[in-house]
């Protein structure tokens, strides 16, 4: 049986790293892309600024060259900058859309056509609970995550007759560096490992089934 081939954007740390490591544990060959090198070993690393169109496209192309084909694509690259729409700094909106939405768009356009040809594959979009719930301090982040969910829904419709599954994961607060310095106990956050295991379990379903959307929140509710 050939080795599973996985590409994770924004995979050097946090949720992306957790997902990449979970697939590595299962024996997959994994490529990650990120601006900074990972502090852990086992995956191929491509340096890329996912906020730049050409970087996102070239990283996806390079991942395909390394892997030969891609069975699982995880669109995880993301950026969070808090603020209200009317008070955010100039260019925050553009930055959020480029990293959180455009990178997934351009990456999918490179990877998914081959998945369609091989009549198999699974695309995971790491959305957010902000994809369905508006937050006053979420500003452009909430807008971008709503857009990412929309992208995932369209991709699902485009791919369903080609054997390619699309899953949109919408986590609440996950214990990553984004929350560094926040004076809250660990039990208010979702462990990264739980998100990674969720992705793995979604992938394990038969090809006849797909989890289209999945919400996972901290047991004590949103922060």
């Amino acid at each position: 049986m050939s080795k599973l081939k996985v590409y994770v954007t924004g995979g050097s740390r946090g949720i992306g790293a957790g997902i990449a490591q979970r697939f590595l544990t299962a024996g997959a060959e994994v490529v990650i892309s990120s601006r900074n090198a990972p502090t852990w070993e086992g995956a191929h690393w491509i340096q890329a600024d996912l906020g730049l169109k050409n970087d996102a496209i070239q990283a996806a192309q390079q991942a395909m060259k390394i892997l030969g084909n891609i069975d699982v694509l995880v669109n995880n690259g993301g950026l969070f900058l808090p603020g209200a729409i009317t008070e955010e700094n100039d260019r925050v909106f553009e930055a959020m859309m480029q990293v959180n939405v455009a990178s997934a768009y351009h990456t999918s356009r490179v990877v998914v056509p081959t998945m369609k040809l091989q009549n198999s594959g699974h695309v995971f979009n790491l959305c957010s609970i902000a994809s369905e719930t508006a937050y006053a301090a979420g500003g452009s982040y909430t807008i971008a995550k709503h857009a990412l969910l929309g992208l995932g829904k369209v991709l699902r419709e485009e791919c369903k007759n080609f054997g390619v599954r699309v899953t949109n994961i919408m986590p609440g607060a996950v214990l990553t560096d984004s929350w560094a310095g926040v004076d809250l106990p660990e039990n208010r956050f979702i462990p990264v490992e739980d998100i990674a295991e969720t992705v793995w379990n979604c992938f394990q379903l038969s090809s006849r089934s797909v989890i289209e959307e999945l919400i996972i929140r901290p047991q004590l509710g949103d922060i």
Side-chain angles (χ1 to χ4, degrees), residues 56-126:
I57 292 172
Q58 290 170 10
Q61 291 170 337
Q62 190 174 345
M64 292 191 69
K65 287 180 181 178
I66 293 170
L67 296 173
N69 67 285
I70 293 174
D71 301 300
V72 179
L73 167 62
V74 182
N75 285 316
N76 170 74
L79 174 67
F80 172 67
L81 296 171
I85 291 174
T86 57
E87 300 168 7
E88 291 174 333
N89 291 332
D90 188 35
R91 303 295 298 176
V92 165
F93 173 79
E94 289 82 0
M96 292 288 190
M97 294 298 288
Q98 288 163 358
V99 177
N100 292 302
V101 186
S103 69
Y105 174 85
H106 295 303
T107 300
S108 297
R109 280 169 54 85
V110 172
V111 174
V112 172
T114 301
M115 287 183 169
K116 286 182 175 182
L117 288 174
Q118 66 194 25
N119 202 42
S120 67
H122 203 145
V123 179
F124 288 91
N125 297 306
L126 264 296

Side-chain angles (χ1 to χ4, degrees), residues 4 7 12 20-21 26 37 51 71 78 84 86 89-90 104 108 124 154 157 177 184 217 222:
L4 187 66
Y7 176 41
S12 63
Q21 290 164 356
D71 301 300
T86 57
N89 291 332
D90 188 35
S108 297
F124 288 91
V154 174
E157 291 303 309
D177 292 345
L184 289 171
R217 281 187 165 100
D222 290 333

